[in-house]
Amino acid sequence: MTFLGMPLLRSTRHDHEIPGGQGNIVEDESFAKVSHQHLSNQQLRDNIGHATASIRDKRSEVVAELDDWEALREAGSRAKNQVMENLPEYLAQFEEKFTAAGGIIHWARDADEANAIVTELVEANAPVLENGRREVIKVKSMATQEIGLNEHLETQDIDAFETDLAELIVQLGDDKPSHILVPAIHRNRDEIREIFMEKMPDAGELTNEPAVLAEAARRHLRHKFLTTKVAISGANFGIADTGTLGVVESEGNGRMCLTLPETLITVMGIEKLLPSFDDLEVFLQLLPRSSTGERMNPYTSFWTGKTPGDGPQNVHLVLLDNGRTRALADEHGRTALNCIRCSACMNVCPIYERTGGHAYGSTYPGPIGAILSPLMTGIEVEENGSLPYASSLCGACYDVCPVKINIPEILVHLRNEDVKANHSPVSSQLDTALTGASWMMGDGKRMAAAESGLPLAHKVTGGNQINSLPGIAGAWTSSRDIPGLPEKSFRAMWAEDEARSEEEVRAEEEEEDDEK
């Protein structure tokens, strides 16, 4: 059992002015409470442990092949920082180029606006079918999951069909994604077979062999690819100096969605821009190695506006803010927007591996979700203030991040923001204890006075390891041991050493004087 040490009671401080994001980026219950529910699911832990270990090993192998991996990380970090420092200029440049190529830009301040824009475009371009509903096909997209687009379209008599295999599994299972790269990572092949048998009328009898399950999904989606008039995608990159959009994927479903329908609607966060095509040299090496452990993505698609006689002729892009401006305004946390959604941080995180993605309550789980969600919504929204505590601060996420986002540093920053925004200094026993410790450690004389009790404490405990303490301190020692207390503090030992050195010098000087 892990005690995350979260303060319990909330204050009512709300002092931000920039609107926060909406949609599926809000934790309804505290992470500590939800995570304990998932910790008891052994099947979930086995599935995630097996999958993350496999991806982790593949990533390590392909990263080790590159002598300049650290130089690539530095270049990726530098390019994204440049974008964030000049985002308004790059967005204006991108809009000009995209529009000149025949595309249409729509600006959405939040999830509600983005959903309304997409709905209007679908209603204008997708026919009403015999069942009285419209249909669209979708490429895997974190931005559309973030705004809850599928759920919104369903209320507007529009059916959205996910075409990525893992997203299809999640959709048919009435489930939620639990991993950025592998949304159905919490499912094993037996569970997937049961979902397909129940929810795909044309599936027939299936085994749990991956090739059999993939073929069933392929047959199920084929007709949709060939008949649906409107597709919706996300985008991995937007190239500012050409107005180009790019999607990388592994199955080819994205290529079919981006080329076959008459209308293509893309929803992209405003932070996804890169200055120029030259920057792709770096990111197309960083992304596949960090995400799937591959040297390159099997399918990489780029499009610039529309091309007469080739591909979709109605090309729209919804540029989504939804709290990104708020995150950008946080000088200590803004580098979280550099994320390229590779999921490498999740695959090395001991907390994620044990709790799974659903415990984070957000489209963005794992270490990056623990900082991105509260930065986008504000730390005071619902239980998002609990997310920065979902970490052991081991630093593994920072070590593998391809764009060098210092996630542990931002986690500590957000914990401080949470304490200031959501908790009074004495709202719990822990807060009271920490406030007292802060007062004591904030002054050298007070600290020295406290340390003067060490000899007595050492004598009482016999210098042995402490395994149990009474009261609130018992919560700490129930899962941790305190090393044996020393006879003296470091400060006292240092002072004694200094005095001994001075005495030795003095003795040497007196000896030299006597010899003279």
Side-chain angles (χ1 to χ4, degrees):
M1 181 178 292
T2 300
F3 292 95
L4 301 175
M6 281 177 282
L8 302 177
L9 303 180
R10 290 183 169 280
S11 72
T12 56
R13 181 184 138 175
H14 300 278
D15 57 359
H16 63 81
E17 296 179 353
I18 303 175
Q22 309 168 339
N24 297 323
I25 49 176
V26 176
E27 178 82 302
D28 295 327
E29 294 183 278
S30 74
F31 180 84
K33 186 174 181 180
V34 183
S35 62
H36 280 299
Q37 299 169 11
H38 293 281
L39 284 171
S40 60
N41 188 338
Q42 189 59 46
Q43 183 67 63
L44 171 80
R45 295 178 64 175
D46 290 345
N47 293 350
I48 292 177
H50 174 74
T52 54
S54 176
I55 299 172
R56 199 162 56 230
D57 291 344
K58 289 176 63 180
R59 175 201 169 274
S60 297
E61 290 177 8
V62 296
V63 165
E65 295 173 350
L66 298 181
D67 295 333
D68 61 345
W69 178 251
E70 289 305 317
L72 284 170
R73 290 181 72 208
E74 184 60 37
S77 175
R78 191 164 53 245
K80 294 298 291 187
N81 286 336
Q82 180 185 349
V83 169
M84 298 312 154
E85 291 168 4
N86 303 279
L87 190 56
E89 291 79 8
Y90 282 124
L91 284 169
Q93 183 184 23
F94 179 86
E95 180 182 30
E96 179 185 351
K97 297 295 183 181
F98 189 84
T99 303
I104 300 174
I105 295 276
H106 308 263
W107 296 87
R109 283 173 292 194
D110 52 36
D112 287 344
E113 282 194 0
N115 285 331
I117 292 168
V118 174
T119 301
E120 185 176 342
L121 291 171
V122 173
E123 289 176 342
N125 293 284
V128 178
L129 304 179
E130 291 181 356
N131 61 3
R133 301 177 67 84
R134 293 179 169 87
E135 291 185 350
V136 299
I137 51 177
K138 283 190 65 199
V139 187
K140 182 177 181 298
S141 161
M142 303 303 297
T144 60
Q145 289 175 14
E146 173 190 319
I147 63 176
L149 180 62
N150 286 12
E151 296 87 341
H152 174 78
L153 291 178
E154 187 175 3
T155 66
Q156 305 301 308
D157 297 328
I158 300 170
D159 295 321
F161 292 91
E162 296 287 351
T163 61
D164 174 87
L165 179 57
E167 290 287 359
L168 178 65
I169 294 167
V170 169
Q171 185 178 44
L172 293 177
D174 297 322
D175 204 353
K176 290 183 177 179
S178 62
H179 190 279
I180 286 178
L181 177 68
V182 194
I185 195 172
H186 54 289
R187 298 286 194 183
N188 60 31
R189 61 173 71 177
D190 292 324
E191 293 174 312
I192 295 169
R193 173 183 174 274
E194 292 176 9
I195 291 171
F196 280 12
M197 294 279 286
E198 180 182 352
K199 296 295 181 67
M200 294 195 328
D202 51 350
E205 288 296 324
L206 299 174
T207 69
N208 67 355
E209 290 299 314
V212 173
L213 297 173
E215 178 60 25
R218 187 177 292 114
R219 289 198 307 270
H220 176 72
L221 292 171
R222 179 67 59 178
H223 179 70
K224 298 297 180 187
F225 282 129
L226 298 176
T227 60
T228 306
K229 302 296 183 184
V230 177
I232 298 173
S233 82
N236 294 96
F237 307 108
I239 309 302
D241 65 354
T242 62
T244 301
L245 293 172
V247 166
V248 296
E249 38 122 6
S250 300
E251 300 172 13
N253 63 300
R255 179 72 56 82
M256 298 181 79
C257 289
L258 298 172
T259 55
L260 294 177
E262 297 172 357
T263 298
L264 175 59
I265 305 167
T266 301
V267 181
M268 182 180 79
I270 57 175
E271 83 283 14
K272 289 296 186 72
L273 293 184
L274 292 177
S276 74
F277 251 94
D278 293 341
D279 296 297
L280 289 173
E281 176 191 355
V282 172
F283 287 93
L284 291 182
Q285 294 185 74
L286 289 174
L287 181 55
R289 282 179 164 81
S290 300
S291 57
T292 56
E294 297 172 300
R295 296 181 182 88
M296 63 180 294
N297 288 95
Y299 295 90
T300 302
S301 302
F302 290 98
W303 67 101
T304 307
K306 63 181 181 181
T307 302
D310 185 16
Q313 296 303 297
N314 300 313
V315 179
H316 297 265
L317 172 62
V318 180
L319 279 168
L320 177 68
D321 187 321
N322 202 38
R324 286 162 175 79
T325 297
R326 197 183 198 291
L328 189 64
D330 188 324
E331 62 177 324
H332 302 291
R334 65 179 51 154
T335 54
L337 293 175
N338 293 357
C339 176
I340 58 174
R341 310 291 192 264
C342 70
S343 74
C345 60
M346 294 170 211
N347 300 328
V348 298
C349 178
I351 305 297
Y352 174 85
E353 189 169 296
R354 285 157 180 79
T355 64
H358 292 161
Y360 296 80
S362 168
T363 295
Y364 306 108
I368 188 63
I371 60 173
L372 195 56
S373 298
L375 282 168
M376 290 170 64
T377 64
I379 198 78
E380 71 283 353
V381 171
E382 297 292 334
E383 295 291 342
N384 275 10
S386 71
L387 290 173
Y389 300 91
S391 172
S392 64
L393 300 180
C394 68
C397 49
Y398 177 49
D399 292 340
V400 299
C401 178
V403 288
K404 303 183 70 171
I405 301 172
N406 195 332
I407 294 176
E409 189 173 279
I410 299 175
L411 285 167
V412 173
H413 159 65
L414 289 175
R415 290 181 185 186
N416 183 47
E417 292 297 300
D418 173 61
V419 170
K420 289 192 291 185
N422 296 327
H423 308 278
S424 66
V426 290
S427 61
S428 71
Q429 287 181 314
L430 179 62
D431 289 334
T432 304
L434 291 176
T435 301
S438 176
W439 175 83
M440 181 186 71
M441 296 179 182
D443 182 272
K445 292 181 179 178
R446 290 195 289 264
M447 189 67 188
E451 290 170 348
S452 66
L454 265 178
L456 177 61
H458 174 79
K459 187 174 183 180
V460 171
T461 60
N464 298 319
Q465 180 175 279
I466 301 172
N467 302 318
S468 176
L469 286 174
I472 183 176
W476 178 272
T477 53
S478 65
S479 59
R480 303 172 179 86
D481 298 321
I482 298 178
L485 298 175
E487 290 185 79
K488 302 171 184 176
S489 68
F490 176 79
R491 185 198 303 260
M493 288 188 286
W494 179 275
E496 289 179 1
D497 187 64
E498 287 285 289
R500 188 164 43 249
S501 298
E502 290 177 1
E503 182 63 28
E504 290 173 355
V505 170
R506 191 180 305 112
E508 290 177 359
E509 290 175 347
E510 290 175 355
E511 186 177 348
E512 290 176 359
D513 291 340
D514 292 341
E515 291 177 354
K516 291 177 181 177

